[in-house]
């Protein structure tokens, strides 16, 4: 069972997400929060697998709530789900430790897929978010970053990281590289260990910051 807390200051939005999510037999919405402070408290109390997090909420915004959850309840994965695709929100949410960033116009099937992905430790990024990261990182001077760090990775690990930067799941990477999902999972764990990173989102951010993403490295 994947246990989920939904945080949004609009009751109708929370109710809509609950209806969509609880149509899945293995999903349980175990709590709802109307602001970031409530979200942090609920996550601390209920220890859910995933927290769906809005950005603009009273008392404590979604970015600060994400930071607190990542620090205090690291087992819970945060999936930001908002109407805002502004650059500063996208990058800030991922830097604060969010495992995914979607817009509220996402279709129900994609929402369900992304919740499953985040709960399993994968990354869920809307295509518009990937484009924002390209605009933020690939089109500016990355001279302060050190791409030499990626020399620690094997050729296959660099190929896996390249696919991660495209927002692909383990299953999609496995199909693209003609290996098993279990092999991809092993490669991802090795990438994180060698680069000293917490999760896949940090790996994607590092790849964009250094210019590895888009370099064609494989």
């Amino acid at each position: 069972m994947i246990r989920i807390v939904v945080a949004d200051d609009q009751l109708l939005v929370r109710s809509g997400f609950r209806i969509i999510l609880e149509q899945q037999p293995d999903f349980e919405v175990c709590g709802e929060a109307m602001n970031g402070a409530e979200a942090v408290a609920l996550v601390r109390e209920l220890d859910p697998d995933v927290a769906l997090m809005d950005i603009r909420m009273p008392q404590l915004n979604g970015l600060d709530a994400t930071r607190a959850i990542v620090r205090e309840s690291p087992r819970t994965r945060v999936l930001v789900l908002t109407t805002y695709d502004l650059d500063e929100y996208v990058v800030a949410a991922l830097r604060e430790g969010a495992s995914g960033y979607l817009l509220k116009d996402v279709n129900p099937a994609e929402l369900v897929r992304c919740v499953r992905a985040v709960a399993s430790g994968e990354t869920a990024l809307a295509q518009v978010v990937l484009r924002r990261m390209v605009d933020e990182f690939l089109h500016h001077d990355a001279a302060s970053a050190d791409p030499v760090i990626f020399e620690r990775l094997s050729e296959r690990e660099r190929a896996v990281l390249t696919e991660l930067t495209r927002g692909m799941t383990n299953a999609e990477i496995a199909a693209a590289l003609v290996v098993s999902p279990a092999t991809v999972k092993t490669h991802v764990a090795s990438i994180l260990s060698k680069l000293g990173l917490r999760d896949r989102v940090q790996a994607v951010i590092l790849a964009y910051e250094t210019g590895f993403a888009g370099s064609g490295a494989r």
Side-chain angles (χ1 to χ4, degrees):
M1 185 67 69
I2 297 175
R3 302 174 67 250
I4 306 162
V5 162
V6 177
D8 195 290
D9 60 341
Q10 298 184 47
L11 174 59
L12 288 179
V13 173
R14 296 198 307 272
S15 299
F17 288 153
R18 177 185 283 273
I19 290 171
I20 292 171
L21 296 170
E22 291 194 335
Q23 289 178 350
Q24 304 302 310
D26 58 334
F27 281 12
E28 175 193 356
V29 176
C30 59
E32 295 183 20
M34 63 182 297
N35 59 61
E38 285 188 7
V40 173
L42 273 179
V43 168
R44 187 185 302 122
E45 174 188 353
L46 301 175
D47 190 33
D49 300 291
V50 177
L52 285 187
M53 187 71 64
D54 191 17
I55 291 288
R56 290 188 177 177
M57 293 185 291
Q59 295 191 30
L60 189 70
N61 65 51
L63 297 178
D64 291 337
T66 295
R67 182 190 307 116
I69 289 171
V70 170
R71 182 179 66 248
E72 299 175 14
S73 307
R75 196 191 74 81
T76 298
R77 300 289 180 171
V78 178
L79 175 57
V80 172
L81 195 58
T82 180
T83 55
Y84 303 100
D85 67 344
L86 300 177
D87 294 354
E88 59 267 30
Y89 288 149
V90 172
V91 176
L94 298 179
R95 287 191 183 282
E96 295 298 352
S99 295
Y101 195 112
L102 300 177
L103 302 184
K104 287 181 180 177
D105 61 0
V106 63
N107 66 62
E110 181 67 4
L111 174 60
V112 168
R113 186 191 71 81
C114 289
V115 169
R116 292 191 193 281
V118 168
S120 67
E122 299 190 28
T123 303
L125 298 175
Q127 288 302 310
V128 66
V129 173
L130 291 175
R131 289 197 297 272
R132 295 290 188 182
M133 293 181 72
V134 169
D135 291 339
E136 176 71 14
F137 295 124
L138 291 186
H139 298 160
H140 83 304
D141 182 7
S144 61
D146 184 6
V148 175
I149 189 174
F150 295 106
E151 293 179 1
R152 302 174 186 176
L153 305 181
S154 68
E155 181 179 354
R156 182 46 61 98
E157 288 167 349
R158 289 195 294 272
V160 169
L161 179 57
T162 296
E163 301 303 335
L164 285 180
T165 66
R166 297 170 179 161
M168 298 181 73
T169 65
N170 283 358
E172 291 168 337
I173 295 172
L177 301 182
V178 196
V179 297
S180 72
T183 297
V184 173
K185 186 175 181 178
T186 298
H187 285 316
V188 171
S190 179
I191 290 168
L192 298 181
S193 176
K194 288 181 178 181
L195 299 182
L197 302 174
R198 180 187 66 242
D199 57 28
R200 299 158 67 106
V201 172
Q202 283 194 336
V204 171
I205 290 176
L206 180 63
Y208 276 107
E209 286 181 325
T210 59
F212 175 92
S215 67
R218 284 186 176 269

